[in-house]
Amino acid sequence: MALFVIASCQLMVVLDITIVNIALPHIQSSLDFSTTSLSWVVNAYTLTFGGLLLLGGRAGDILGRRRVFIFGVLLFVLASLLGGFAQNSGQLLGARALQGVGGAIASPTSLALISTTFREGPERNRAFGVFAAVSAGGGAIGLLAGGMLVEWLNWRWVLFVNVPIGLLIVLATPRYIRESERHPGRFDIAGALTSTAGMVLLVYGFIRAAQDGWRDPLTVASFVGAVVVLAAFILIERRSRQPITPLHMFADRNRAGTYGIMLCLAAAIFGMFFFLTLFVQNVLGFSPLAAGLAFLPVSAVIAVGAGLASRFLPVYGPKPFMVVGAILAAAGLAWLTLTDVHSTYAGSVLGPMLVFSLGMGMEFVSLTLMALSNVATPETGAASGLLNATQQVGGSLGLSILVTMYGTASTNEAEKQIPDFLRQATPSERLRFEQTGQVPKPWSDEILTAGVSAAFIMAAIFTAVAALIALVVIQVRPSDLERLKGGTGPGPM
């Protein structure tokens, strides 16, 4: 029951990243977002989530993980309620950012609770397997749930649905989860603020570049500001007695490699869900519910990949699953680059999506176990927060880069399609184009598909880099395998 409560919280937090994705076309028309600015509905959540995860992990270490866990869930519930009632884009983005704060408090604490609740060895391996499967598969479940809610109710219910789930978790937590030991320490507020601000500036720079070009003054200023603020963050962490990001975590090559792999893979999976959601609804013409059902196989195959990795990790170690998983993910994304306006779901989307999902299922179990293996108990919150932070920051940064690729490719395609449209357009269509700047089908499908294909090319490059890191950096020793089997092999993993 403790694992059920912990996994339910993680599912709610991860699900909220993608449950909104299925509603994006409806949010766009309801609150007047452009396609590139629409990514902020995702990034407003993931940036505060990723930027404050480390602070949330430290809060659990210092104040008690169960107490902090409950507070984070309650804040998440409140933000979801506010987002559901949003009347304009600013209110929605503010609520999404507050959701990210709640998730940043609850998520690393839930992962740390696994480390302190389950014994190292097969028991903890299985718990991590469940947690990783929920983390990876929650995205597809969110798309299905979002499709049902948008189809049967409206887009606001993708936020309202968190309220009863979160309240049930809060009621169950004191009964099934014991409070952890509190460890003395201080909060690194300066580190948390500079890391979050630096990433916001970096992501804004990429999205601004997609809209206004690389030479735009605000684009350049954003990148310069990001470099300055992130440099200040590193200096703060080096001088702090209790940094929010313990830099010694990166001294272990396996753990540093794990964080690098997670950064790349998160960029790919965020991009895959974001752009495929737009493609299947806008080009293939799927309803929200049909789009959600289209992603359902992703959860099943991720669970298969996670189960295989959990079963054979003690035998082969995590490295083979890291390498093979990243290669499969890269192959699936490379396959998706072949989609065009004549593609079908069964012929062009389902196959590559399943190959990608099998690889991601293998990856998440291996990465979760590797990142937290042999971490001192007082630092499990920081270690789990750092793993989650790399996932969310990698997703936000990666999505912004992919949006930039999308914007450049779609703009180039629009320059080809608009003259053809104007030659065939009726007077009313010309007038509508002058007012909105948008072209109708089939020209809009060509523009969107060109941008989506370009984004998948970059996503495939991200996963190829992850495979290279796994192959070159990760090292597994016999003592590490002994620890996975429940023994006490020496040395960090």
Side-chain angles (χ1 to χ4, degrees):
M1 286 303 299
L3 180 60
F4 178 77
V5 172
I6 293 169
S8 296
C9 173
Q10 183 66 5
L11 178 63
M12 180 180 70
V13 171
V14 172
L15 179 147
D16 211 72
I17 298 171
T18 57
I19 193 172
V20 173
N21 270 15
I22 210 75
L24 287 175
H26 298 265
I27 293 173
Q28 183 176 15
S29 60
S30 176
L31 300 181
D32 297 324
F33 282 94
S34 68
T35 301
T36 49
S37 65
L38 192 63
S39 63
W40 279 109
V41 178
V42 177
N43 285 333
Y45 176 78
T46 55
L47 278 173
T48 52
F49 190 6
L52 299 176
L53 271 168
L54 301 173
L55 189 64
R58 177 57 58 86
D61 292 339
I62 296 174
L63 301 177
R65 292 177 185 134
R66 189 179 72 178
R67 179 182 295 107
V68 170
F69 178 78
I70 292 174
F71 175 76
V73 174
L74 285 174
L75 185 60
F76 191 90
V77 166
L78 173 63
S80 299
L81 192 63
L82 294 175
F85 286 116
Q87 298 301 307
N88 56 55
S89 59
Q91 291 176 2
L92 178 62
L93 296 182
R96 290 288 285 165
L98 187 61
Q99 274 188 306
V101 176
I105 295 172
S107 184
T109 311
S110 64
L111 184 53
L113 284 170
I114 288 182
S115 296
T116 55
T117 303
F118 300 93
R119 294 189 301 274
E120 189 166 28
E123 182 179 278
R124 189 181 295 180
N125 292 349
R126 287 193 295 271
F128 276 141
V130 172
F131 190 90
V134 166
S135 299
I141 296 171
L143 290 168
L144 175 61
M148 295 167 63
L149 292 170
V150 173
E151 184 88 1
W152 296 337
L153 298 170
N154 61 54
W155 67 263
R156 298 181 182 279
W157 281 91
V158 301
L159 297 167
F160 287 145
V161 71
N162 294 321
V163 176
I165 297 173
L167 292 178
L168 288 174
I169 292 171
V170 168
L171 292 174
T173 298
R175 181 173 182 179
Y176 295 110
I177 297 177
R178 64 178 183 274
E179 183 59 277
S180 65
E181 180 183 354
R182 297 170 64 175
H183 302 278
R186 293 186 301 176
F187 294 108
D188 181 14
I189 303 297
L193 293 178
T194 51
S195 64
T196 304
M199 290 309 304
V200 168
L201 286 170
L202 191 59
V203 168
Y204 179 76
F206 280 110
I207 295 177
R208 180 84 184 186
Q211 294 176 316
D212 300 287
W214 293 96
R215 296 182 180 180
D216 176 72
L218 276 178
T219 301
V220 175
S222 296
F223 285 124
V224 172
V227 171
V228 172
V229 175
L230 291 175
F233 164 70
I234 293 174
L235 289 176
I236 289 170
E237 298 308 279
R238 293 185 64 181
R239 296 177 180 179
S240 175
R241 292 183 178 179
Q242 294 182 328
I244 193 173
T245 307
L247 297 181
H248 67 267
M249 291 279 185
F250 296 94
D252 182 280
R253 64 179 291 163
N254 283 347
R255 194 168 293 117
T258 297
Y259 294 144
I261 294 168
M262 178 64 85
L263 201 70
C264 295
L265 294 179
I269 197 168
F270 275 51
M272 192 274 285
F273 280 128
F274 182 84
F275 288 107
L276 269 188
T277 300
L278 295 178
F279 180 80
V280 299
Q281 290 191 71
N282 293 339
V283 178
L284 299 186
F286 282 28
S287 69
L289 178 57
L293 289 171
F295 286 98
L296 189 58
V298 171
S299 293
V301 177
I302 283 178
V304 170
L308 287 172
S310 299
R311 172 67 178 82
F312 293 106
L313 267 172
V315 180
Y316 301 107
K319 181 170 181 174
F321 296 100
M322 289 180 168
V323 175
V324 173
I327 290 173
L328 288 173
L333 290 167
W335 192 355
L336 281 171
T337 64
L338 303 177
T339 54
D340 57 32
V341 293
H342 304 294
S343 297
T344 62
Y345 172 74
S348 304
V349 175
L350 180 60
M353 196 166 61
L354 296 182
V355 173
F356 176 86
S357 303
L358 182 62
M360 295 304 292
M362 293 180 180
E363 285 286 353
F364 276 97
V365 174
S366 306
L367 293 172
T368 303
L369 190 63
M370 181 74 80
L372 294 183
S373 179
N374 204 34
V375 175
T377 300
E379 291 188 330
T380 53
S384 60
L386 190 55
L387 178 66
N388 275 301
T390 55
Q391 180 180 357
Q392 302 307 321
V393 170
S396 296
L397 181 59
L399 181 57
S400 67
I401 294 171
L402 297 179
V403 165
T404 303
M405 294 292 295
Y406 168 89
T408 302
S410 60
T411 299
N412 293 337
E413 185 65 24
E415 293 176 356
K416 302 176 184 177
Q417 296 294 330
I418 288 176
D420 183 59
F421 158 70
L422 292 175
R423 282 193 298 269
Q424 303 180 44
T426 64
S428 62
E429 288 175 335
R430 284 174 176 268
L431 179 61
R432 192 178 301 112
F433 172 72
E434 292 173 0
Q435 293 174 341
T436 65
Q438 303 294 319
V439 297
K441 289 176 174 290
W443 298 276
S444 61
D445 290 349
E446 294 281 1
I447 294 170
L448 187 144
T449 302
V452 167
S453 295
F456 284 139
I457 292 173
M458 181 57 68
I461 293 173
F462 286 147
T463 50
V465 171
L468 185 62
I469 295 173
L471 186 63
V472 175
V473 177
I474 301 299
Q475 292 181 341
V476 179
R477 301 175 294 268
S479 59
D480 299 329
L481 294 177
E482 183 65 25
R483 291 176 63 84
L484 288 171
K485 294 174 183 177
T488 55
M493 190 180 213

